[in-house]
Structure formats: structure tokens, C-alpha cells
Amino acid sequence: PDERETLTWQIFGEASRSLAQAIHEDGYEPDIILSIVRGGLFVAGALGYALDVKNLHTMNVEFYDGIGSTLDMPVMLPPVPNAIDFSEKKILIADDVADTGKTLELVKDFVKDHVADVRTAVIYEKPNSLVKCEYVWKRTDKWINFPWSTLPPVTKREGQVLDA
Ligand code: 5GP
């Protein structure tokens, strides 16, 4: 059996369109899409066009291994958005995957006191996620290969002339 779930760029296009369709059919009309950097950027960009939402914000959240890797928790990295920007707004938080759900929980908690409504959209949700997302394209318990993070960062090619 396949131990990995692979999302290709092609399927990502279809998944994000289908996610947008579900959000639209549900009648949710977000004022702001809040993207969780970096994986959520792709989803947020695609949803922004498909839902005709131009107001996109980003939040930098990184998952940190605590001492001895027992204290795994996500932390916000600067620049942290101004919560005032979200007051009385309908927010759609976009990310690639809800795994433990801790990242989405942190972001939801950050905005929840100020907003008119907050909902979450992800391509994948895993069964143990403590945040149950309103909009999910697919549920899986496998490790996911995303098209944007499957390849390692580019390096200088051997023998390449850069200043020709
Ligand atoms: P959380 O556990 O807070 O829900 O997810 C934290 C982050 O871990 C995700 O935003 C994503 O970057 C990464 N992550 C979790 N599960 C997977 C996975 O199956 N594949 C990949 N590539 N990243 C994952």
C-alpha cells in the first residue's frame, strides 16, 4: 500500500478550485483570507482568485521542536499582523494541512476575539487534528508530499556560468 499521499501541481489546481466551490456553495463570503506561511500561501492565492477576494493577509507560523522534542509547538514569527485589521471581518484562514491542528488553533485564537466570523480551509485534514476545519478537500492519515516542498531548495549547478 502507498504510504504517502502525493499532491501534484495539477491536482492542487483541481483541489483548490473544488475547495472554493464548497466555500461558495456554503454561502461563506470572507472579507479577508488569512494565509499561513508558507504552505498556506498557495491555497490562499488560489482561493483569493476563485472566490474573488482581494484582501489577503499572511501570518508566519513555524513549528518548533522544543527541548528534547517533547514540547512541539507552533510559534508566530514577526511581522505579526495587527489584530485590528480583522475586527468585525469575516475571516477565512487558509493552510495546506491540519495535522495536529496546533498551527490553526494558534491562528484562530489570535484572531477570534475581534472577528465577525472565522472559518478554516485546508487541502488536507488528518484524523487527530484538534481543529475541525469547516472546509476540507481530502482527509488522510498519511504523510503528504506537497508539490512546493517535495524538491530541495535549488543550488548552483555544477559548471554553470552565472556571470556570462
Ligand atoms: P499542525 O501539526 O500544526 O497541524 O501542522 C503543522 C505543519 O506541519 C503544517 O502546516 C505543515 O507545514 C507540516 N505538516 C504536517 N503534516 C504534514 C504532511 O503530511 N506533509 C508535509 N509536507 N507537511 C506536513
Side-chain angles (χ1 to χ4, degrees), residues 63 95-103 126 142-144 146:
F63 219 87
D95 207 355
D96 49 1
V97 52
D99 188 336
T100 63
K102 288 179 186 175
T103 301
K126 299 199 183 176
K142 294 175 186 169
W143 183 260
I144 306 145
F146 289 102

Side-chain angles (χ1 to χ4, degrees), residues 122-157:
V122 292
I123 309 177
Y124 292 101
E125 185 179 276
K126 299 199 183 176
N128 292 328
S129 174
L130 52 90
V131 169
K132 302 301 170 200
C133 299
E134 283 81 2
Y135 308 107
V136 177
W137 176 67
K138 189 172 180 182
R139 296 171 199 282
T140 184
D141 56 3
K142 294 175 186 169
W143 183 260
I144 306 145
N145 284 335
F146 289 102
W148 42 86
S149 54
T150 300
L151 295 173
V154 292
T155 55
K156 187 179 164 190
R157 268 192 288 244

Side-chain angles (χ1 to χ4, degrees), residues 2-13:
D2 241 357
E3 278 159 34
R4 297 226 171 180
E5 169 81 26
T6 298
L7 185 72
T8 63
W9 283 113
Q10 178 70 37
I11 302 295
F12 164 69

Side-chain angles (χ1 to χ4, degrees), residues 22-105:
I23 294 163
H24 177 73
E25 282 171 15
D26 195 38
Y28 194 53
E29 295 180 347
D31 301 300
I32 292 175
I33 297 176
L34 178 56
S35 164
I36 304 178
V37 175
R38 288 172 292 176
L41 282 171
F42 301 92
V43 188
L47 292 180
Y49 276 107
L51 296 171
D52 200 21
V53 175
K54 293 176 179 170
N55 201 350
L56 270 68
H57 291 237
T58 58
M59 212 160 145
N60 302 313
V61 181
E62 198 151 286
F63 219 87
Y64 270 117
D65 276 359
I67 302 138
S69 283
T70 50
L71 203 99
D72 293 357
M73 51 183 263
V75 295
M76 281 184 261
L77 302 179
V80 174
N82 191 339
I84 296 289
D85 293 338
F86 306 130
S87 64
E88 304 309 311
K89 298 286 199 302
K90 285 179 281 176
I91 310 291
L92 182 69
I93 301 172
D95 207 355
D96 49 1
V97 52
D99 188 336
T100 63
K102 288 179 186 175
T103 301
L104 283 169
E105 187 184 55

